[in-house]
Amino acid sequence: MEFRMERSALTDAVAWAARVLPTRSPVPVLGGLLLEAADGRLRISGLDYEASACIEVEAETVRAGKVLVMGRRLLDVCRVLPEGAVECAVEGSRFSLAGDSARFGLSVLPFDDYPALPPLPEVLGAVDAEEFAAAVAHVAVAAGRDDTLPTLTGIRLALDGDTMTLAATDRYRFAVRTLAWKPGQDGVSADVVISARRLTEIARSFSRAGMVQLALDGGSVGFELAGMRTTVRLLDGRLPRHDKLFAMADPVHAVLDRAPLVEAVKRVAVVAEGGNPLHLTFSSDSVLLQAGYEDDVASQRLPAALGGTDELTVAFNPSYLMDALASFDAPVVRFELLGPGQRAMVTGWASRADAADEAARPVHQHLLMSARPLV
């Protein structure tokens, strides 16, 4: 096996495939990347028991063949090679990489125990890569981090006609985002849970312009775009439905500019230690943010429009509120409030006029549980 290609292209391809490699594994060969060169193409693939990745790129093939080498070590070498062309070849029991005056040799792993790459499931349709990456980022902040509750560490991906719904919850917050996608046939529907960490990595890696092919079967989900293909095993269980939870009768509405609110939350939350909540006191034309305890206190007032009551005070976990606000791209946010200690909905809007339109349907919703303000 022998091939030649630019260092930057090789490094990018190796890095993309190496994302799925396990940090530690009782099976050493699962730490390897399989490189296959033939007909002017280089195919790099890796897998563990949860996910797989495969990428094909152009390469000048001198001699066709394949080799299995430790993936993370290969990536480290690629990153420090000089810029320019890299010549790679299998020489006996060693895989060599040479660029300019630098030369590296890596041990070759045996193929015998290396499992076959899982096939891509049935392709159901396609979704815009950039929009999909943004949508996954919007909801991933609400996914759980406790591995003892694996289903809650996932993102629900539901397909209904030409609408895709992504949702995540850790029981204290619940984020939902809808977006359009293009099913390959009529009547496509699905409702599965995918690891939030894995799906976030996949979405980021596919965030370049283009349409990502979405494939799904009973045990795994797959994505493919421009020579890149990845699969990940589905999580067992189902996330709770959000429909009834998101139905709020006669809420109080508060509309604010998002960027100043984000800065104010960051500023005031500096003194909110030990789980102390951040208080928001809404009046007809402003909101007062307050946090702290005894002598360590902070406050800031911002313009706001309140509808449905003259004044209302609610309180939130500062980190949860910050995560919710940071997940939005919209310049304006609207709070729908039921009162202290009850559900609160945050939605994003392009303008205050849009936020004031009761008939408008948001595509991105983030539900938080408010705390009871300290007396």
Side-chain angles (χ1 to χ4, degrees):
M1 175 193 185
E2 185 176 352
F3 65 90
R4 185 182 295 109
M5 63 187 299
E6 288 295 312
R7 185 204 71 89
S8 58
L10 178 61
T11 302
D12 290 346
V14 170
W16 193 88
R19 294 175 305 103
V20 301
L21 297 181
T23 304
R24 298 182 181 86
S25 173
V27 184
V29 294
L30 289 184
L33 285 178
L34 180 63
L35 281 65
E36 301 170 272
D39 302 324
R41 306 287 292 177
L42 175 66
R43 184 172 185 257
I44 305 175
S45 53
L47 74 164
D48 66 7
Y49 291 118
E50 292 184 3
S52 72
C54 177
I55 181 170
E56 288 192 14
V57 292
E58 293 183 357
E60 181 184 342
T61 306
V62 179
R63 188 172 71 254
K66 62 181 181 179
V67 65
L68 183 66
V69 294
M70 292 303 295
R72 298 191 188 282
R73 176 58 59 86
L74 175 61
L75 180 57
D76 290 341
V77 169
C78 290
R79 284 172 170 165
V80 297
L81 280 167
E83 289 292 345
V86 178
E87 296 183 359
C88 304
V90 176
E91 301 171 346
S93 61
R94 179 177 295 168
F95 178 63
S96 67
L97 300 92
D100 197 5
S101 59
R103 185 178 180 86
F104 292 85
L106 299 179
S107 300
V108 171
L109 299 174
F111 295 109
D112 299 345
D113 298 326
Y114 193 70
L117 200 70
L120 192 72
E122 179 188 1
V123 174
L124 300 183
V127 61
D128 181 88
E130 188 173 356
E131 292 182 8
F132 182 67
V136 170
H138 289 161
V139 302
V141 295
R145 307 291 190 270
D146 186 356
D147 289 333
T148 62
L149 300 169
T151 303
L152 293 183
T153 66
I155 291 176
R156 176 188 175 218
L157 188 153
L159 305 175
D160 183 11
D162 60 359
T163 299
M164 176 185 294
T165 300
L166 300 172
T169 180
D170 61 1
R171 297 181 299 179
Y172 304 104
R173 45 195 172 163
F174 206 136
V176 174
R177 174 76 158 79
T178 59
L179 68 158
W181 81 299
K182 295 183 178 180
Q185 58 187 14
D186 294 337
V188 173
S189 65
D191 195 339
V192 298
V193 181
I194 309 166
S195 162
R197 179 179 65 85
R198 295 283 192 183
L199 190 58
T200 299
E201 290 177 351
I202 291 169
R204 284 175 179 169
S205 72
F206 281 133
S207 60
R208 66 186 67 180
M211 297 296 290
V212 178
Q213 300 292 318
L214 171 62
L216 189 65
D217 61 20
S220 64
V221 62
F223 301 89
E224 186 172 20
L225 171 66
M228 298 178 290
R229 188 188 81 188
T230 186
T231 65
V232 61
R233 191 179 299 275
L234 300 175
L235 296 179
D236 294 329
R238 290 287 183 269
L239 290 182
R241 302 282 299 193
H242 64 274
D243 311 70
K244 293 183 179 180
L245 190 64
F246 279 28
M248 303 177 69
D250 300 322
V252 172
H253 295 101
V255 178
L256 305 88
D257 292 331
R258 189 183 69 87
L261 179 59
V262 168
E263 292 304 314
V265 170
K266 288 180 182 178
R267 189 172 295 117
V268 175
V270 168
V271 299
E273 298 179 353
N276 289 331
L278 187 150
H279 299 74
L280 287 80
T281 300
F282 292 94
S283 57
S284 60
D285 60 358
S286 67
V287 59
L288 177 64
L289 286 76
Q290 297 174 291
Y293 184 68
E294 294 184 344
D295 292 331
D296 295 332
V297 295
S299 65
Q300 184 172 351
R301 188 178 294 275
L302 297 174
L306 182 68
T309 188
D310 294 330
E311 185 174 289
L312 179 66
T313 298
V314 291
F316 297 101
N317 177 303
S319 296
Y320 288 177
L321 179 59
M322 191 65 242
D323 286 345
L325 294 173
S327 71
F328 287 90
D329 302 319
V332 174
V333 290
R334 183 176 75 193
F335 285 80
E336 296 179 22
L337 307 167
L338 295 178
Q342 300 187 59
R343 289 168 292 153
M345 178 68 73
V346 187
T347 52
W349 303 90
S351 67
R352 285 178 175 262
D354 290 340
D357 184 356
E358 297 295 335
R361 296 178 61 84
V363 297
H364 179 192
Q365 299 170 281
H366 197 113
L367 189 76
L368 295 169
M369 286 302 298
S370 63
R372 291 198 174 275
L374 298 176
V375 177

